[in-house]
Coordinates of all heavy atoms in Angstrom, one line a residue:
M1 N -55.2 -40.8 -6.5 CA -55.3 -40.1 -7.7 C -55.2 -38.6 -7.5 O -54.6 -37.9 -8.3 CB -56.7 -40.4 -8.3 CG -56.9 -39.7 -9.6 SD -56.0 -40.5 -10.9 CE -56.6 -39.8 -12.3
S2 N -55.6 -38.1 -6.3 CA -55.6 -36.7 -6.0 C -54.1 -36.2 -5.9 O -53.8 -35.1 -6.3 CB -56.3 -36.4 -4.7 OG -56.1 -35.1 -4.4
S3 N -53.2 -37.1 -5.4 CA -51.8 -36.7 -5.2 C -51.2 -36.5 -6.6 O -50.2 -35.6 -6.7 CB -51.1 -37.7 -4.4 OG -51.0 -38.9 -5.1
N4 N -51.6 -37.2 -7.6 CA -51.0 -37.0 -8.9 C -51.4 -35.7 -9.5 O -50.7 -35.0 -10.3 CB -51.4 -38.1 -9.9 CG -50.8 -39.4 -9.5 OD1 -49.8 -39.5 -8.8 ND2 -51.4 -40.5 -9.9
L5 N -52.6 -35.2 -9.3 CA -53.1 -34.0 -9.8 C -52.6 -32.8 -9.1 O -52.6 -31.7 -9.6 CB -54.7 -34.0 -9.8 CG -55.4 -34.9 -10.7 CD1 -56.9 -34.8 -10.5 CD2 -55.0 -34.6 -12.2
E6 N -52.0 -32.9 -7.9 CA -51.5 -31.8 -7.2 C -50.3 -31.1 -7.8 O -50.1 -30.0 -7.7 CB -51.1 -32.2 -5.8 CG -52.2 -32.3 -4.8 CD -51.8 -32.6 -3.4 OE1 -50.6 -32.9 -3.2 OE2 -52.6 -32.5 -2.5
V7 N -49.6 -31.9 -8.6 CA -48.4 -31.3 -9.2 C -48.6 -30.8 -10.6 O -47.7 -30.4 -11.3 CB -47.2 -32.3 -9.2 CG1 -46.8 -32.6 -7.8 CG2 -47.6 -33.5 -10.0
V8 N -49.9 -30.8 -11.1 CA -50.2 -30.3 -12.4 C -49.9 -28.8 -12.6 O -49.6 -28.4 -13.7 CB -51.6 -30.7 -12.9 CG1 -52.6 -29.8 -12.2 CG2 -51.7 -30.7 -14.4
T9 N -50.0 -28.0 -11.6 CA -49.7 -26.6 -11.7 C -48.3 -26.3 -12.0 O -48.0 -25.2 -12.6 CB -50.2 -25.9 -10.5 OG1 -49.6 -26.4 -9.3 CG2 -51.7 -25.9 -10.3
I10 N -47.4 -27.1 -11.5 CA -45.9 -26.8 -11.7 C -45.6 -26.7 -13.2 O -45.0 -25.7 -13.7 CB -45.1 -27.7 -10.9 CG1 -45.3 -27.5 -9.4 CG2 -43.6 -27.5 -11.2 CD1 -44.7 -28.5 -8.5
P11 N -45.8 -27.8 -14.0 CA -45.5 -27.7 -15.4 C -46.3 -26.6 -16.2 O -45.9 -26.1 -17.2 CB -45.8 -29.1 -16.0 CG -46.5 -29.8 -14.9 CD -46.3 -29.1 -13.6
V12 N -47.5 -26.4 -15.7 CA -48.4 -25.3 -16.3 C -47.7 -24.0 -16.1 O -47.6 -23.2 -17.0 CB -49.8 -25.4 -15.8 CG1 -50.6 -24.1 -16.2 CG2 -50.5 -26.6 -16.2
I13 N -47.2 -23.7 -14.9 CA -46.5 -22.4 -14.6 C -45.3 -22.3 -15.5 O -45.0 -21.3 -16.1 CB -46.2 -22.3 -13.1 CG1 -47.5 -22.1 -12.3 CG2 -45.3 -21.1 -12.9 CD1 -47.3 -22.1 -10.8
V14 N -44.5 -23.4 -15.6 CA -43.3 -23.4 -16.4 C -43.6 -23.1 -17.8 O -43.0 -22.3 -18.5 CB -42.6 -24.8 -16.3 CG1 -41.4 -24.9 -17.3 CG2 -42.0 -25.0 -14.9
A15 N -44.7 -23.7 -18.4 CA -45.0 -23.5 -19.8 C -45.5 -22.1 -20.0 O -45.1 -21.5 -21.0 CB -46.1 -24.5 -20.2
I16 N -46.3 -21.5 -19.1 CA -46.8 -20.2 -19.3 C -45.6 -19.2 -19.2 O -45.5 -18.3 -20.1 CB -47.8 -19.8 -18.2 CG1 -49.1 -20.6 -18.5 CG2 -48.1 -18.3 -18.2 CD1 -50.1 -20.5 -17.3
V17 N -44.7 -19.4 -18.2 CA -43.6 -18.5 -18.1 C -42.7 -18.6 -19.3 O -42.2 -17.6 -19.9 CB -42.8 -18.7 -16.8 CG1 -41.5 -18.0 -16.8 CG2 -43.6 -18.4 -15.6
Y18 N -42.4 -19.8 -19.8 CA -41.6 -20.0 -21.0 C -42.2 -19.3 -22.2 O -41.5 -18.6 -22.9 CB -41.5 -21.5 -21.3 CG -40.5 -21.9 -22.4 CD1 -39.2 -22.1 -22.1 CD2 -40.9 -22.0 -23.7 CE1 -38.3 -22.5 -23.1 CE2 -40.0 -22.3 -24.7 CZ -38.7 -22.5 -24.4 OH -37.8 -22.8 -25.4
G19 N -43.5 -19.4 -22.4 CA -44.1 -18.7 -23.5 C -44.1 -17.2 -23.4 O -43.8 -16.5 -24.4
V20 N -44.4 -16.7 -22.2 CA -44.3 -15.2 -22.0 C -42.9 -14.7 -22.2 O -42.7 -13.7 -22.8 CB -44.9 -14.9 -20.7 CG1 -44.7 -13.4 -20.3 CG2 -46.4 -15.2 -20.6
M21 N -41.9 -15.4 -21.7 CA -40.5 -15.0 -21.9 C -40.1 -15.1 -23.3 O -39.2 -14.3 -23.8 CB -39.6 -15.8 -21.0 CG -39.8 -15.5 -19.5 SD -39.4 -13.8 -19.1 CE -41.1 -13.1 -18.8
A22 N -40.6 -16.0 -24.1 CA -40.3 -16.1 -25.5 C -40.8 -14.9 -26.2 O -40.1 -14.3 -27.1 CB -40.8 -17.4 -26.1
V23 N -42.0 -14.4 -25.9 CA -42.6 -13.2 -26.5 C -41.8 -12.0 -26.0 O -41.5 -11.1 -26.9 CB -44.1 -13.1 -26.1 CG1 -44.6 -11.7 -26.5 CG2 -44.9 -14.2 -26.7
Y24 N -41.4 -12.0 -24.8 CA -40.6 -10.9 -24.2 C -39.3 -10.8 -25.0 O -38.9 -9.7 -25.3 CB -40.4 -11.0 -22.7 CG -39.5 -10.0 -22.1 CD1 -40.0 -8.8 -21.8 CD2 -38.2 -10.3 -21.8 CE1 -39.2 -7.8 -21.2 CE2 -37.4 -9.4 -21.3 CZ -37.9 -8.1 -20.9 OH -37.0 -7.2 -20.4
R25 N -38.7 -11.9 -25.2 CA -37.4 -11.9 -25.9 C -37.5 -11.4 -27.3 O -36.6 -10.6 -27.8 CB -36.8 -13.4 -25.9 CG -35.4 -13.4 -26.5 CD -34.8 -14.8 -26.5 NE -34.7 -15.4 -25.2 CZ -35.5 -16.3 -24.6 NH1 -36.5 -16.8 -25.4 NH2 -35.3 -16.7 -23.4
Q26 N -38.6 -11.7 -28.0 CA -38.8 -11.2 -29.3 C -39.1 -9.6 -29.3 O -38.6 -8.9 -30.2 CB -40.0 -11.8 -30.0 CG -39.8 -13.3 -30.3 CD -38.7 -13.4 -31.3 OE1 -38.6 -12.7 -32.3 NE2 -37.8 -14.4 -31.1
L27 N -39.7 -9.2 -28.2 CA -40.0 -7.7 -28.1 C -38.8 -6.9 -27.9 O -38.7 -5.8 -28.3 CB -41.1 -7.5 -27.0 CG -42.5 -8.0 -27.3 CD1 -43.4 -7.8 -26.1 CD2 -43.1 -7.3 -28.5
V28 N -37.8 -7.5 -27.1 CA -36.6 -6.7 -26.8 C -35.4 -7.1 -27.6 O -34.3 -6.8 -27.2 CB -36.3 -6.8 -25.2 CG1 -37.5 -6.3 -24.4 CG2 -36.0 -8.2 -24.8
S29 N -35.6 -7.8 -28.7 CA -34.5 -8.4 -29.4 C -33.6 -7.3 -30.0 O -32.4 -7.5 -30.1 CB -35.0 -9.3 -30.5 OG -35.7 -8.6 -31.4
G30 N -34.1 -6.2 -30.4 CA -33.3 -5.1 -30.9 C -32.8 -4.1 -29.9 O -32.1 -3.1 -30.3
K31 N -33.2 -4.2 -28.7 CA -32.9 -3.2 -27.7 C -31.6 -3.5 -27.0 O -30.9 -4.5 -27.3 CB -34.1 -3.1 -26.7 CG -35.4 -2.8 -27.4 CD -36.3 -2.2 -26.5 CE -37.7 -1.8 -27.1 NZ -37.9 -1.8 -28.4
A32 N -31.3 -2.7 -26.0 CA -30.0 -2.9 -25.2 C -30.0 -4.3 -24.5 O -31.0 -4.9 -24.2 CB -29.9 -1.8 -24.2
A33 N -28.8 -4.8 -24.3 CA -28.6 -6.1 -23.7 C -29.1 -6.2 -22.3 O -29.4 -7.3 -21.8 CB -27.1 -6.5 -23.7
V34 N -29.3 -5.0 -21.6 CA -29.8 -5.1 -20.2 C -31.2 -5.6 -20.2 O -31.6 -6.3 -19.2 CB -29.8 -3.7 -19.6 CG1 -30.8 -2.7 -20.2 CG2 -30.0 -3.7 -18.1
W35 N -32.0 -5.5 -21.3 CA -33.4 -6.0 -21.3 C -33.4 -7.5 -21.4 O -34.2 -8.1 -20.7 CB -34.2 -5.3 -22.4 CG -34.4 -3.9 -22.2 CD1 -33.8 -2.9 -22.8 CD2 -35.2 -3.3 -21.2 NE1 -34.2 -1.7 -22.3 CE2 -35.1 -1.9 -21.3 CE3 -36.1 -3.8 -20.2 CZ2 -35.8 -1.0 -20.5 CZ3 -36.8 -2.9 -19.4 CH2 -36.7 -1.5 -19.6
T36 N -32.5 -8.1 -22.1 CA -32.4 -9.5 -22.2 C -31.8 -10.1 -20.9 O -32.1 -11.3 -20.6 CB -31.7 -10.0 -23.4 OG1 -30.4 -9.4 -23.4 CG2 -32.4 -9.7 -24.7
S37 N -30.9 -9.4 -20.3 CA -30.3 -9.9 -19.0 C -31.4 -9.9 -17.9 O -31.1 -10.6 -16.9 CB -29.1 -9.1 -18.6 OG -29.5 -7.8 -18.3
L38 N -32.5 -9.2 -18.0 CA -33.5 -9.2 -17.0 C -34.5 -10.4 -17.1 O -35.4 -10.5 -16.3 CB -34.3 -7.9 -17.1 CG -33.5 -6.7 -16.6 CD1 -34.4 -5.4 -16.8 CD2 -33.2 -6.8 -15.1
I39 N -34.3 -11.2 -18.2 CA -35.3 -12.3 -18.4 C -35.4 -13.2 -17.2 O -36.5 -13.6 -16.8 CB -34.9 -13.1 -19.7 CG1 -35.2 -12.2 -20.9 CG2 -35.6 -14.4 -19.7 CD1 -34.8 -12.8 -22.2
P40 N -34.3 -13.7 -16.5 CA -34.5 -14.5 -15.3 C -35.3 -13.8 -14.2 O -36.1 -14.4 -13.5 CB -33.1 -14.8 -14.9 CG -32.3 -14.7 -16.1 CD -32.9 -13.6 -16.9
V41 N -35.1 -12.5 -14.0 CA -35.8 -11.7 -13.0 C -37.3 -11.7 -13.3 O -38.1 -12.0 -12.5 CB -35.2 -10.3 -12.9 CG1 -36.0 -9.5 -11.9 CG2 -33.8 -10.3 -12.5
W42 N -37.6 -11.4 -14.6 CA -39.0 -11.3 -15.0 C -39.6 -12.7 -14.9 O -40.8 -12.8 -14.5 CB -39.2 -10.8 -16.4 CG -38.8 -9.3 -16.5 CD1 -37.9 -8.8 -17.4 CD2 -39.4 -8.2 -15.8 NE1 -37.9 -7.4 -17.2 CE2 -38.7 -7.1 -16.2 CE3 -40.3 -8.1 -14.7 CZ2 -39.0 -5.8 -15.7 CZ3 -40.6 -6.9 -14.2 CH2 -40.0 -5.7 -14.7
A43 N -38.9 -13.7 -15.2 CA -39.4 -15.1 -15.2 C -39.7 -15.5 -13.7 O -40.8 -16.1 -13.4 CB -38.4 -16.1 -15.8
G44 N -38.8 -15.1 -12.8 CA -39.1 -15.4 -11.4 C -40.3 -14.6 -10.8 O -41.1 -15.2 -10.1
I45 N -40.4 -13.4 -11.2 CA -41.5 -12.6 -10.7 C -42.8 -13.1 -11.3 O -43.8 -13.2 -10.6 CB -41.3 -11.1 -11.1 CG1 -40.2 -10.5 -10.3 CG2 -42.6 -10.3 -10.9 CD1 -39.7 -9.1 -10.7
L46 N -42.9 -13.4 -12.6 CA -44.1 -14.0 -13.2 C -44.4 -15.3 -12.6 O -45.6 -15.6 -12.3 CB -43.9 -14.1 -14.7 CG -45.1 -14.7 -15.5 CD1 -46.3 -13.8 -15.3 CD2 -44.7 -14.8 -17.0
G47 N -43.4 -16.1 -12.3 CA -43.7 -17.4 -11.7 C -44.3 -17.3 -10.3 O -45.2 -18.0 -9.9
M48 N -43.7 -16.3 -9.5 CA -44.3 -16.1 -8.2 C -45.7 -15.6 -8.3 O -46.6 -16.1 -7.5 CB -43.5 -15.0 -7.4 CG -42.1 -15.5 -7.0 SD -41.3 -14.4 -5.8 CE -41.1 -12.9 -6.8
A49 N -46.0 -14.7 -9.2 CA -47.4 -14.2 -9.4 C -48.3 -15.4 -9.8 O -49.4 -15.5 -9.2 CB -47.4 -13.1 -10.4
L50 N -47.9 -16.2 -10.7 CA -48.7 -17.4 -11.1 C -48.9 -18.4 -9.9 O -49.9 -19.0 -9.8 CB -48.1 -18.1 -12.3 CG -48.2 -17.3 -13.6 CD1 -47.4 -17.9 -14.7 CD2 -49.6 -17.0 -14.0
G51 N -47.9 -18.5 -9.1 CA -48.0 -19.4 -7.9 C -49.0 -18.9 -7.0 O -49.8 -19.7 -6.4
I52 N -49.1 -17.6 -6.8 CA -50.1 -17.0 -5.9 C -51.5 -17.2 -6.5 O -52.4 -17.5 -5.8 CB -49.7 -15.5 -5.6 CG1 -48.5 -15.4 -4.8 CG2 -50.9 -14.8 -4.9 CD1 -47.9 -14.0 -4.7
V53 N -51.6 -16.9 -7.8 CA -52.9 -17.0 -8.4 C -53.4 -18.5 -8.3 O -54.5 -18.7 -8.0 CB -52.8 -16.6 -9.9 CG1 -54.0 -17.0 -10.7 CG2 -52.6 -15.1 -10.0
A54 N -52.5 -19.4 -8.6 CA -52.9 -20.8 -8.5 C -53.3 -21.2 -7.1 O -54.2 -22.0 -6.9 CB -51.7 -21.7 -9.0
F55 N -52.6 -20.7 -6.1 CA -52.9 -21.0 -4.7 C -54.3 -20.6 -4.4 O -55.0 -21.3 -3.6 CB -51.9 -20.3 -3.8 CG -52.1 -20.6 -2.3 CD1 -51.7 -21.8 -1.8 CD2 -52.7 -19.6 -1.5 CE1 -51.9 -22.1 -0.5 CE2 -52.8 -19.9 -0.2 CZ -52.5 -21.1 0.4
Y56 N -54.8 -19.5 -4.9 CA -56.1 -19.0 -4.6 C -57.2 -19.5 -5.5 O -58.3 -19.7 -5.1 CB -56.1 -17.5 -4.5 CG -55.5 -16.9 -3.3 CD1 -54.3 -16.2 -3.4 CD2 -56.0 -17.2 -2.0 CE1 -53.7 -15.7 -2.2 CE2 -55.4 -16.7 -0.9 CZ -54.2 -16.0 -1.0 OH -53.6 -15.5 0.2
V57 N -56.8 -19.7 -6.8 CA -57.8 -20.1 -7.8 C -58.1 -21.6 -7.8 O -59.2 -22.0 -7.9 CB -57.4 -19.5 -9.2 CG1 -58.4 -20.0 -10.3 CG2 -57.4 -18.0 -9.2
V58 N -57.0 -22.3 -7.8 CA -57.1 -23.8 -7.9 C -56.3 -24.4 -6.8 O -55.3 -25.1 -7.0 CB -56.7 -24.4 -9.3 CG1 -57.7 -24.1 -10.3 CG2 -55.4 -23.8 -9.7
P59 N -56.7 -24.2 -5.5 CA -55.9 -24.7 -4.4 C -55.8 -26.2 -4.4 O -54.8 -26.8 -3.8 CB -56.6 -24.2 -3.2 CG -58.0 -23.9 -3.6 CD -57.9 -23.5 -5.1
E60 N -56.8 -26.9 -4.9 CA -56.7 -28.4 -4.9 C -55.6 -29.0 -5.8 O -55.2 -30.1 -5.7 CB -58.1 -29.0 -5.3 CG -58.6 -28.7 -6.7 CD -59.3 -27.3 -6.8 OE1 -59.4 -26.6 -5.8 OE2 -59.9 -27.1 -7.9
Y61 N -55.2 -28.2 -6.8 CA -54.1 -28.6 -7.7 C -52.8 -28.0 -7.4 O -51.8 -28.3 -8.1 CB -54.5 -28.3 -9.1 CG -55.7 -28.9 -9.6 CD1 -56.8 -28.2 -10.1 CD2 -55.9 -30.3 -9.5 CE1 -57.9 -28.9 -10.6 CE2 -57.0 -31.0 -10.0 CZ -58.0 -30.2 -10.5 OH -59.2 -30.8 -10.9
M62 N -52.7 -27.2 -6.3 CA -51.4 -26.6 -5.9 C -50.8 -27.3 -4.7 O -51.5 -27.4 -3.7 CB -51.7 -25.1 -5.6 CG -50.4 -24.3 -5.4 SD -49.5 -24.2 -6.9 CE -48.3 -22.9 -6.4
P63 N -49.6 -27.8 -4.9 CA -49.0 -28.6 -3.7 C -48.4 -27.7 -2.7 O -47.3 -27.8 -2.3 CB -48.0 -29.4 -4.4 CG -47.5 -28.6 -5.6 CD -48.8 -27.9 -6.0
A64 N -49.2 -26.7 -2.2 CA -48.7 -25.7 -1.2 C -49.7 -25.6 -0.1 O -50.9 -25.6 -0.3 CB -48.5 -24.4 -1.9
D65 N -49.2 -25.6 1.1 CA -50.0 -25.5 2.3 C -50.2 -24.0 2.7 O -51.2 -23.7 3.5 CB -49.4 -26.2 3.5 CG -49.3 -27.7 3.2 OD1 -50.2 -28.3 2.5 OD2 -48.4 -28.4 3.7
N66 N -49.4 -23.1 2.3 CA -49.5 -21.7 2.7 C -49.0 -20.9 1.5 O -48.4 -21.4 0.6 CB -48.7 -21.4 4.0 CG -47.3 -21.8 3.9 OD1 -46.6 -21.6 2.9 ND2 -46.8 -22.5 5.0
I67 N -49.2 -19.6 1.7 CA -48.8 -18.7 0.6 C -47.3 -18.6 0.3 O -46.9 -18.5 -0.8 CB -49.4 -17.3 0.9 CG1 -49.3 -16.4 -0.4 CG2 -48.8 -16.6 2.0 CD1 -50.3 -16.8 -1.5
L68 N -46.5 -18.7 1.4 CA -45.1 -18.7 1.2 C -44.6 -19.9 0.3 O -43.8 -19.7 -0.6 CB -44.4 -18.7 2.5 CG -42.8 -18.7 2.4 CD1 -42.3 -17.5 1.7 CD2 -42.2 -18.8 3.8
M69 N -45.2 -21.0 0.6 CA -44.8 -22.2 -0.2 C -45.3 -22.0 -1.6 O -44.6 -22.4 -2.6 CB -45.5 -23.4 0.4 CG -45.0 -24.7 -0.1 SD -45.7 -26.1 0.7 CE -44.3 -26.8 1.5
A70 N -46.4 -21.4 -1.9 CA -46.9 -21.2 -3.2 C -46.0 -20.2 -3.9 O -45.7 -20.4 -5.1 CB -48.3 -20.6 -3.2
V71 N -45.5 -19.1 -3.2 CA -44.6 -18.2 -3.8 C -43.3 -18.9 -4.2 O -42.8 -18.7 -5.3 CB -44.3 -17.0 -2.9 CG1 -43.1 -16.2 -3.3 CG2 -45.6 -16.1 -2.7
L72 N -42.8 -19.7 -3.4 CA -41.5 -20.4 -3.7 C -41.7 -21.5 -4.8 O -40.8 -21.6 -5.6 CB -41.0 -21.1 -2.4 CG -40.5 -20.2 -1.3 CD1 -40.1 -21.0 -0.1 CD2 -39.4 -19.3 -1.8
I73 N -42.8 -22.1 -4.8 CA -43.1 -23.0 -6.0 C -43.2 -22.3 -7.3 O -42.6 -22.7 -8.3 CB -44.4 -23.9 -5.7 CG1 -44.1 -24.9 -4.6 CG2 -44.8 -24.6 -7.0 CD1 -45.3 -25.6 -4.1
G74 N -43.8 -21.1 -7.2 CA -43.9 -20.3 -8.4 C -42.6 -19.8 -8.9 O -42.3 -19.8 -10.1
L75 N -41.8 -19.3 -7.9 CA -40.5 -18.8 -8.2 C -39.6 -19.9 -8.8 O -39.0 -19.6 -9.9 CB -39.8 -18.3 -7.0 CG -38.3 -17.8 -7.1 CD1 -38.3 -16.6 -8.0 CD2 -37.8 -17.5 -5.7
S76 N -39.6 -21.0 -8.3 CA -38.7 -22.1 -8.8 C -39.3 -22.6 -10.2 O -38.5 -22.9 -11.0 CB -38.7 -23.3 -7.8 OG -39.9 -23.8 -7.6
S77 N -40.6 -22.6 -10.4 CA -41.1 -22.9 -11.7 C -40.8 -21.9 -12.7 O -40.5 -22.2 -13.9 CB -42.7 -23.1 -11.6 OG -43.0 -24.1 -10.7
G78 N -40.8 -20.6 -12.3 CA -40.4 -19.6 -13.3 C -39.0 -19.7 -13.7 O -38.6 -19.5 -14.9
L79 N -38.1 -19.9 -12.7 CA -36.7 -20.0 -13.0 C -36.4 -21.3 -13.8 O -35.4 -21.4 -14.5 CB -35.9 -19.9 -11.7 CG -36.0 -18.6 -11.1 CD1 -35.2 -18.6 -9.8 CD2 -35.5 -17.5 -12.0
T80 N -37.2 -22.3 -13.6 CA -37.1 -23.6 -14.3 C -37.3 -23.3 -15.8 O -36.6 -23.9 -16.7 CB -38.0 -24.7 -13.8 OG1 -37.7 -24.9 -12.5 CG2 -38.0 -25.9 -14.6
A81 N -38.3 -22.5 -16.1 CA -38.5 -22.1 -17.5 C -37.3 -21.5 -18.2 O -36.9 -21.8 -19.3 CB -39.7 -21.2 -17.6
T82 N -36.6 -20.6 -17.4 CA -35.4 -20.0 -17.9 C -34.3 -21.0 -18.1 O -33.6 -21.0 -19.1 CB -34.9 -18.9 -17.0 OG1 -36.0 -18.0 -16.8 CG2 -33.7 -18.2 -17.5
G83 N -34.2 -21.9 -17.2 CA -33.2 -23.0 -17.3 C -33.5 -23.9 -18.5 O -32.5 -24.3 -19.2
A84 N -34.7 -24.3 -18.7 CA -35.1 -25.1 -19.8 C -34.8 -24.5 -21.1 O -34.3 -25.1 -22.0 CB -36.6 -25.5 -19.7
D85 N -35.0 -23.2 -21.2 CA -34.7 -22.5 -22.4 C -33.2 -22.5 -22.7 O -32.7 -22.7 -23.8 CB -35.2 -21.0 -22.3 CG -34.8 -20.2 -23.6 OD1 -35.4 -20.6 -24.6 OD2 -34.0 -19.3 -23.5
Q86 N -32.4 -22.3 -21.6 CA -30.9 -22.3 -21.8 C -30.4 -23.7 -22.2 O -29.5 -23.8 -22.9 CB -30.2 -21.8 -20.5 CG -30.4 -20.3 -20.3 CD -29.9 -19.5 -21.5 OE1 -28.8 -19.7 -21.9 NE2 -30.7 -18.7 -22.0
V87 N -31.0 -24.7 -21.6 CA -30.6 -26.1 -22.0 C -30.8 -26.3 -23.5 O -30.0 -26.8 -24.2 CB -31.3 -27.2 -21.1 CG1 -31.1 -28.5 -21.7 CG2 -30.8 -27.1 -19.7
Y88 N -32.0 -25.9 -23.9 CA -32.4 -26.0 -25.4 C -31.4 -25.2 -26.2 O -30.9 -25.7 -27.2 CB -33.8 -25.5 -25.6 CG -34.2 -25.4 -27.0 CD1 -34.4 -26.5 -27.8 CD2 -34.3 -24.1 -27.6 CE1 -34.7 -26.4 -29.2 CE2 -34.6 -24.0 -28.9 CZ -34.8 -25.1 -29.7 OH -35.1 -25.0 -31.0
R89 N -31.1 -24.0 -25.8 CA -30.2 -23.1 -26.6 C -28.8 -23.7 -26.7 O -28.1 -23.7 -27.7 CB -30.2 -21.7 -26.1 CG -31.4 -21.0 -26.3 CD -31.4 -19.6 -25.7 NE -32.6 -18.9 -26.0 CZ -32.8 -18.1 -27.1 NH1 -31.9 -18.0 -28.0 NH2 -33.9 -17.5 -27.2
Q90 N -28.3 -24.3 -25.6 CA -26.9 -24.8 -25.5 C -26.8 -26.1 -26.4 O -25.8 -26.3 -27.1 CB -26.5 -25.1 -24.1 CG -26.3 -23.9 -23.3 CD -25.3 -22.9 -23.9 OE1 -24.2 -23.3 -24.3 NE2 -25.6 -21.6 -23.8
I91 N -27.9 -26.9 -26.3 CA -27.9 -28.1 -27.2 C -27.9 -27.7 -28.6 O -27.2 -28.3 -29.5 CB -29.1 -29.0 -26.8 CG1 -28.8 -29.7 -25.4 CG2 -29.3 -30.1 -27.9 CD1 -30.0 -30.5 -24.9
K92 N -28.7 -26.7 -29.0 CA -28.9 -26.2 -30.3 C -27.5 -25.6 -30.8 O -27.1 -25.9 -31.9 CB -30.0 -25.2 -30.4 CG -30.4 -24.8 -31.8 CD -31.6 -24.0 -31.7 CE -31.5 -22.7 -32.6 NZ -32.7 -21.9 -32.6
K93 N -26.9 -24.9 -29.9 CA -25.6 -24.3 -30.3 C -24.5 -25.3 -30.5 O -23.6 -25.1 -31.4 CB -25.2 -23.3 -29.2 CG -23.9 -22.5 -29.6 CD -23.6 -21.3 -28.7 CE -23.7 -21.5 -27.2 NZ -23.1 -20.3 -26.5
S94 N -24.5 -26.4 -29.8 CA -23.5 -27.4 -29.9 C -23.8 -28.4 -31.0 O -23.0 -29.3 -31.3 CB -23.4 -28.2 -28.6 OG -24.5 -29.1 -28.4
G95 N -24.8 -28.2 -31.8 CA -25.1 -29.0 -32.9 C -26.0 -30.2 -32.6 O -26.1 -31.1 -33.4
G96 N -26.6 -30.2 -31.4 CA -27.5 -31.3 -31.1 C -26.9 -32.5 -30.5 O -27.5 -33.5 -30.3
E97 N -25.6 -32.5 -30.2 CA -24.9 -33.6 -29.7 C -25.0 -33.6 -28.2 O -24.9 -32.5 -27.6 CB -23.4 -33.6 -30.1 CG -23.3 -33.7 -31.6 CD -21.8 -33.5 -32.1 OE1 -21.0 -33.6 -31.2 OE2 -21.6 -33.2 -33.3
A98 N -25.0 -34.8 -27.6 CA -25.1 -34.9 -26.1 C -23.8 -34.8 -25.5 O -22.8 -34.8 -25.9 CB -25.8 -36.2 -25.7

């Protein structure tokens, strides 16, 4: 049972980063395009920060043995949020067809 709970932090990080980036996108919607092009960078940085926090706050739920692994899990989770958003946007743009 414990092994199933170890991966719970990954979707939580993805969801948090997705939500924060949605707010960020709304805040910079009328500004220069450079601010929206930085979304993957901010998502990666936020994901790394959340990976480090999870490593120290809830280590029993973080599938990382050391801090480097936690940083990489956080980074990949943050970038996954950006990818999930792009998949949703592309499906929506194509009319919802597969």
Side-chain angles (χ1 to χ4, degrees):
M1 183 72 170
S2 175
S3 64
N4 292 340
L5 290 177
E6 278 186 351
V7 295
V8 76
T9 54
I10 295 172
V12 169
I13 292 172
V14 171
I16 291 171
V17 171
Y18 187 89
V20 170
M21 289 299 105
V23 170
Y24 176 81
R25 185 177 299 107
Q26 291 298 318
L27 291 174
V28 300
S29 64
K31 302 204 182 344
V34 69
W35 292 107
T36 54
S37 67
L38 289 174
I39 288 176
V41 174
W42 293 124
I45 291 170
L46 180 59
M48 286 190 302
L50 290 172
I52 293 169
V53 168
F55 182 74
Y56 287 113
V57 174
V58 285
E60 63 273 7
Y61 297 125
M62 186 66 167
D65 297 330
N66 55 45
I67 191 70
L68 178 61
M69 191 177 243
V71 167
L72 292 175
I73 288 171
L75 175 65
S76 62
S77 298
L79 294 176
T80 297
T82 303
D85 180 64
Q86 287 304 308
V87 167
Y88 170 74
R89 287 178 181 273
Q90 293 302 318
I91 290 173
K92 192 169 131 180
K93 186 168 42 170
S94 71
E97 300 174 14

